[in-house]
Amino acid sequence: MSVDTSVRLPGMPVKNPVMTASGTFGYGLEFAPYGDLRALGGIVVKGLSLAPRLGNPMPRIAETPCGMLNAIGLQNCGVEKFLRDKLPRLPWRETPIIANLYACDADEFAELAGVLSAQEGVAALEVNISCPNVKAGGIAFGQDPAMAGKLAEAVKKRAGDKPVWVKLSPNVTDIVSIARAAVLGGADALTCINTLTGMSVDIRSRKPRLANVIGGLSGPAIKPVALRAVWQVCQAVSAPVIGVGGIASAEDVLEFILVGAHAVQIGTANFMRPDMAFRIAQRLPELMAELGINSLEEYRMSLLV
Amino acid sequence: MALSGACRDLTILSVTEAGPEGGAHGCYYIELANPGLGSAVAGQFVMVRPACFGQDPVWPRPFSICRLTPEALTLFVQTCGRGTDVLCRLVPGDAVTVWGPLGQGFSLEPETPTLMLAGGVGLAPFVEYAATHPAPANLALVFGHRQPLSCYPFAEMANVVGRAEAFQENSPEDLPRFIELLEAKVAEYAGGLIVACGPRPFLMTVARLARRFGARAQVSLENRMACGVGGCLGCVEKNALGQYVQTCTQGPVFWVEELQLSEEA
């Protein structure tokens, strides 16, 4: 039985729903030795800012039960270097390359959106309003519905014909109100969720395990939280949702589709083994066939409650 | 430089505890069968993920290549946490996924008098270094350790290395004497090549001495890694310009003058 893994996202054809999450897949090229980048449904590259960013001091990562904490602080090479050195080497004609944007205010977001939307090789813009590891902006943007809406609007105005995705934080009282505000502001899709804030300490040295003290929790440990957020947001808004949080198998992918996601992103699981996203993309149609699922469009949001 | 290949699903050939009988020193040799990893430069590393990790621990573990032949990949591992605890309890036939060789290894200059400086488990990459060096008579080794010498692959190295010295640190008072020994050796090899691997304080001492004597020296860092392939930016180290470089792809071996090597990276 041949199954249909294609999904419909605004403004782009997607051959399968398995994408990679920003910050877990470098600029894509780092993982090219481990699989065919063209086999992925999309690649969301490391968060980009107008100017290069140094990032946070070390240590930046700590392992936790079924997960990890990170406080990388959006270290990145800057948009100019990305467009010059990285993007031309990515298979953007075959696989959507989604740029993840980080900026300190609405004007900067708009400027960055202007630069990236002019690129043929960029399929969509994912706006990071939820990074827990930077002092300016970041998570604060994603905790206030008015601000989330304003940023979505600022980016959308400069995005030309590129779809705008807004990546939401789970560190909020009501994720649905933020989701609604982002969509009202012009978001074409929503990415749910960024990391949960957390911390880890060493009782012997009495030191935090991250130099930044607080970091973002990711990995299989957060999957139930992500699934709940996707479910709630999908019930409330009609914009497509891209689910992310702890996905480490084709079964996990179907869980997110089942609660309403159009597509998913593989994040921390890329660190478990660098061919993980490729393996999941390969396994998904087999699993669908085993379960008698003909198409994802038909399976999506079919949760029996 | 060998290109990194795909992930390889290997099986455990043997896990052998090293050192005196009944010692429980936590030092093990792990052999994996038919690695198919091609050739490696000593100082390069592999990422290792036993199937039994499941979803926890989430990270694979990086180990420098102790010995690589077409028949077997040998790792020298000291237990120091939940990852290594699991690894050292594996039994023959257990499945382990391995990818590599990764990163940049040590420079190898056959005609240059070369001093290997190793601390503890940091001896591992020098087994491969000595075994693949075309002129081992040009190699010398100073090895600082805490566990009994038989816990480490020292004896087999002493056979191939022109000159090998071991120094056991039994108490904190031994440390200044070890540093004196390092000082004399680094001064002696200031016109040659120095390659070092061990704990960070040890590498910082080597770097300080190399700078003082104007020696050409490389250090192999053991920064905490998640992915090992350049994806996470977790293992970075500050370079001389104050920018972060990735230990996994640009290292783990760096020339001392490339780095700041401060207390905190």
Side-chain angles (χ1 to χ4, degrees):
Chain A
M1 183 177 98
S2 83
V3 299
D4 183 5
T5 60
S6 69
V7 293
R8 275 179 243 136
L9 285 178
M12 65 170 90
V14 181
K15 56 184 163 278
N16 73 62
V18 182
M19 305 186 170
T20 56
S22 181
T24 66
F25 207 63
Y27 297 101
L29 301 165
E30 293 85 346
F31 289 77
Y34 302 98
D36 184 355
L37 295 174
R38 294 168 301 181
L40 299 173
I43 298 169
V44 187
V45 296
K46 173 74 184 163
L48 294 163
S49 46
L50 279 173
R53 282 179 59 95
L54 191 59
N56 287 332
M58 291 283 284
R60 293 171 162 191
I61 53 174
E63 203 174 37
T64 57
C66 287
M68 63 176 282
L69 289 162
N70 90 80
I72 306 297
L74 287 167
Q75 177 183 336
N76 78 93
C77 65
V79 69
E80 196 180 315
K81 187 175 163 66
F82 169 73
L83 295 178
R84 192 184 59 229
D85 298 344
K86 316 280 187 189
L87 186 59
R89 294 160 61 201
L90 287 166
W92 53 268
R93 288 182 194 280
E94 292 90 0
T95 292
I97 307 299
I98 297 96
N100 179 283
L101 289 68
Y102 167 74
C104 293
D105 58 46
D107 290 345
E108 211 179 303
F109 264 118
E111 190 181 342
L112 190 54
V115 173
L116 285 163
S117 63
Q119 301 297 320
E120 193 185 1
V122 172
L125 309 181
E126 183 180 74
V127 189
N128 184 356
I129 60 164
S130 47
C131 179
N133 298 323
V134 291
K135 289 196 171 63
I139 200 166
F141 289 158
Q143 289 175 329
D144 173 13
M147 182 58 90
K150 188 180 157 195
L151 291 176
E153 193 180 345
V155 171
K156 184 67 185 169
K157 271 189 186 148
R158 297 289 301 276
D161 59 352
K162 307 288 184 191
V164 173
W165 305 357
V166 173
K167 186 166 182 178
L168 303 182
S169 172
N171 305 299
V172 294
T173 311
D174 176 20
I175 196 168
V176 168
S177 63
I178 312 284
R180 285 201 177 106
V183 172
L184 275 174
D188 299 294
L190 301 169
T191 306
C192 299
I193 56 177
N194 208 319
T195 55
L196 283 77
T197 51
M199 78 190 260
S200 175
V201 297
D202 184 329
I203 57 167
R204 290 176 183 82
S205 67
R206 305 190 187 192
K207 286 183 177 172
R209 288 209 162 88
L210 297 175
N212 196 53
V213 185
I214 289 173
L217 180 67
S218 64
I222 74 163
K223 198 184 76 178
V225 178
L227 208 56
R228 181 271 300 166
V230 168
W231 163 250
Q232 285 182 328
V233 170
C234 288
Q235 297 295 303
V237 303
S238 55
V241 168
I242 296 104
V244 50
I247 298 171
S249 67
E251 285 79 359
D252 293 343
V253 174
L254 287 184
E255 288 185 24
F256 279 81
I257 307 282
L258 180 60
V259 302
H262 277 67
V264 298
Q265 295 172 1
I266 312 299
T268 297
N270 292 312
F271 303 156
M272 289 177 162
R273 47 186 300 162
D275 58 358
M276 183 66 94
F278 307 104
R279 286 163 66 95
I280 293 174
Q282 189 176 19
R283 170 76 183 130
L284 183 64
E286 296 168 9
L287 178 64
M288 287 170 65
E290 283 165 29
L291 299 178
I293 300 166
N294 295 309
S295 88
L296 292 177
E297 289 293 341
E298 142 201 329
Y299 186 70
R300 182 163 48 77
M301 225 165 169
S302 63
L303 186 73
L304 303 169
V305 284
Chain B
M1 187 71 58
L3 286 175
S4 47
C7 297
R8 307 264 312 157
D9 293 323
L10 305 182
T11 52
I12 293 282
L13 204 56
S14 69
V15 177
T16 316
E17 187 166 9
E21 284 286 319
H25 300 285
C27 296
Y28 293 82
Y29 295 99
I30 298 177
E31 279 190 304
L32 294 139
N34 306 312
L37 300 174
S39 64
V41 175
Q44 285 190 296
F45 67 101
V46 291
M47 293 301 282
V48 173
R49 182 175 193 87
C52 66
F53 269 20
Q55 296 199 334
D56 192 49
V58 290
W59 295 341
R61 296 295 191 260
F63 295 99
S64 67
I65 292 166
C66 179
R67 193 74 186 97
L68 180 61
T69 67
E71 293 74 36
L73 164 66
T74 307
L75 306 174
F76 178 61
V77 177
Q78 192 163 19
T79 54
C80 62
R82 55 196 196 121
T84 46
D85 284 348
V86 170
L87 269 164
C88 293
R89 281 199 301 267
L90 295 176
V91 298
D94 280 352
V96 179
T97 304
V98 175
W99 53 103
L102 300 166
Q104 314 300 319
F106 289 110
S107 288
L108 196 150
E109 303 174 4
E111 305 307 321
T112 307
T114 300
L115 174 64
M116 300 179 285
L117 297 175
V121 74
L123 187 61
F126 296 123
V127 175
E128 178 76 2
Y129 194 83
T132 56
H133 198 285
N138 285 336
L139 293 177
L141 167 68
V142 174
F143 175 49
H145 60 103
R146 289 192 175 137
Q147 306 291 341
L149 194 57
S150 62
C151 292
Y152 305 94
F154 180 78
E156 73 176 86
M157 290 196 62
N159 295 337
V160 286
V161 170
R163 230 169 98 81
E165 275 179 69
F167 183 101
Q168 185 165 17
E169 188 189 338
N170 294 308
S171 70
E173 291 82 64
D174 291 334
L175 189 59
R177 291 198 298 116
F178 181 53
I179 292 174
E180 274 171 38
L181 173 63
L182 290 177
E183 198 172 321
K185 284 291 175 184
V186 171
E188 188 185 336
Y189 280 84
L193 172 66
I194 296 170
V195 287
C197 183
R200 191 172 181 90
F202 171 78
L203 297 180
M204 286 170 61
T205 300
V206 171
R208 180 171 54 80
L209 295 173
R211 286 186 186 117
R212 191 203 302 171
F213 294 106
R216 292 164 61 238
Q218 292 184 319
V219 292
S220 176
L221 303 184
E222 52 171 14
N223 295 8
R224 193 184 298 159
M225 285 178 191
C227 68
V229 299
C232 70
L233 298 175
C235 67
V236 296
E237 178 74 24
K238 230 171 212 175
N239 70 8
L241 303 172
Q243 295 158 339
Y244 286 117
V245 288
Q246 286 170 273
T247 303
C248 59
T249 53
Q250 292 161 284
V253 175
F254 293 95
W255 290 101
V256 160
E257 65 265 25
E258 290 180 90
L259 303 176
Q260 294 186 354
L261 274 179
S262 56
E263 288 287 342
E264 305 289 335

